[in-house]
Structures are given as structure tokens and as C-alpha cells.
Amino acid sequence: MGCRENFFAAKNVGKRFGSQWVFRGVEFEIPQGECLAVTGPNGSGKSTLLRILARLEQPTEGTFSAFDRPRMGCVAPDLNLYPPLTVYEHFLFAARLRSVQANAQKLIEMVGLKGAETLPASALSTGMKTRLKLGLAVQHEPALLILDEPGSSLDAQGKAMLAEIVAEQKRRGFLILATNDHSELRFAEQELRLG
């Protein structure tokens, strides 16, 4: 399908494992500056769809618009950190891979990990790991940010920080959010329900 720079879209996207379709006929068009919330029961394919949009999996059918190698950030439960690297070292490592400024201290403060800079990822709680993943996902100011149930392990302060990241991303580009948390639907201008 054709790609317009100020839209991110999917047309007739489907995914099958063996003979079993997880979903079919998924279509959406998101204008720049908006958020699409992907909702549905467990097993409906929310995470699978996000993995396809992040180019971590191929769809069985259908297409989606994509910029030429867009700057993309992604946060998902199954995306792993490097256990021996400290919080600070994660930002330095990711910056080198992306050829961007690390801005480590600024991002550490933004995601509420000040005081935890020297802790290895293996010593972080689940919520702290989510905070680190969020910081890494926006380090390079992505055009497209994909979040898979990002608030599920965050406390009240973490959820406030998430709201700030969402607002900044909507000023910058596109946001796709998979969630079963009804409070997170306030972030979205559109909802796509699977299942």
C-alpha cells in the first residue's frame, strides 16, 4: 500500500500459526500525533500484532505502511535487558548501537531510576526494568513507539511518568499501545479490538 509520511497504516493484516489464524483482516490508519490502543482478551493476538508492526515477525497476509527504516522504539515484556549491565551502561550501549547521544543521566531521572544507576539489570524489580525499557525506547526520539502493556508493572509514580512519555511521543510521531487497562485508553484516539 502507499505510504503517506503523516500516517501509519495497516491493510488486511493477518497472522496464522500452522492452520490456526490468530487474527485476520486487521486494518487501521493512524495520523501523526495520535495513539492507537490495541485491546482484546488474552490470546487474541495483541502482542503478535505489535511484534509484526515492530518488524520482529512477518504477517501471513496483508501489508502495513512503513517509512524507510523508521526510528522505532518498543517496550514489551519479552524484550530482554542484559543482566550484567548496569542501568547507566544500558544507555551507553544503546546509544553506541544507535549512533546517538546517550543522555543517560537525563533519561535515568526522567524514568525515575536516579540512585539505581550502578545496579545491574539482574538486580532490578519488574517495575524498575519496565522503567529502564521505557527510557531506552525513547532515547533516540523514535518516530514510532510501540508499547505492549507498559503500565502493568508500574506504580502510581511510574504510571504518571508513562503518561508524560505518551504525551511527548504524540507530539513527535506515532504511538501504538496494547493494553487491557481501561485507564490507559485515555491515551488513545482510536481503539482496535481483537478477538
Side-chain angles (χ1 to χ4, degrees), residues 3-193:
C3 176
R4 292 181 284 166
E5 277 191 19
N6 58 343
F7 282 85
F8 186 82
K11 184 174 178 67
N12 197 36
V13 173
K15 182 65 177 180
R16 182 180 65 204
F17 293 106
S19 62
Q20 182 71 37
W21 286 95
V22 181
F23 53 78
R24 294 188 84 178
V26 169
E27 299 199 359
F28 62 79
E29 187 174 86
I30 317 166
Q32 186 169 345
E34 291 194 2
C35 171
L36 171 72
V38 181
T39 63
N42 293 341
S44 61
K46 297 186 301 296
S47 294
T48 300
L49 177 60
L50 266 59
R51 288 180 62 80
I52 289 170
L53 298 176
R55 297 183 181 183
L56 298 173
E57 283 190 34
Q58 290 296 316
T60 305
E61 63 184 13
T63 59
F64 61 94
S65 66
F67 315 112
D68 186 24
R69 297 194 176 276
R71 294 186 321 280
M72 187 182 308
C74 188
V75 175
D78 61 347
L79 291 180
N80 294 320
L81 300 166
Y82 294 95
L85 291 187
T86 66
V87 168
Y88 191 83
E89 289 168 342
H90 270 89
F91 286 108
L92 296 183
F93 179 66
R96 281 197 295 271
L97 288 178
R98 294 165 166 161
S99 300
V100 298
Q101 292 288 325
N103 293 326
Q105 206 56 50
K106 176 183 174 185
L107 289 163
I108 286 168
E109 291 180 16
M110 181 189 81
V111 298
L113 289 176
K114 188 171 183 181
E117 297 93 332
T118 60
L119 289 178
S122 59
L124 301 178
S125 69
T126 303
M128 293 170 79
K129 287 177 181 176
T130 299
R131 288 170 181 260
L132 176 54
K133 289 178 185 181
L134 283 164
L136 291 168
V138 300
Q139 181 183 38
H140 57 309
E141 299 184 347
L144 172 62
L145 182 60
I146 296 174
L147 304 177
D148 191 354
E149 303 199 27
S152 61
S153 62
L154 294 175
D155 58 16
Q157 286 182 329
K159 290 184 178 185
M161 173 269 298
L162 174 63
E164 291 175 11
I165 286 176
V166 165
E168 177 59 30
Q169 180 61 31
K170 288 167 74 171
R171 285 190 287 270
R172 177 171 51 231
F174 306 88
L175 177 64
I176 299 174
L177 166 73
T179 185
N180 278 325
D181 182 342
H182 290 288
S183 70
E184 291 180 353
L185 292 180
R186 74 185 190 280
F187 298 142
E189 286 75 24
Q190 297 183 49
E191 180 180 357
L192 170 67
R193 184 163 180 84

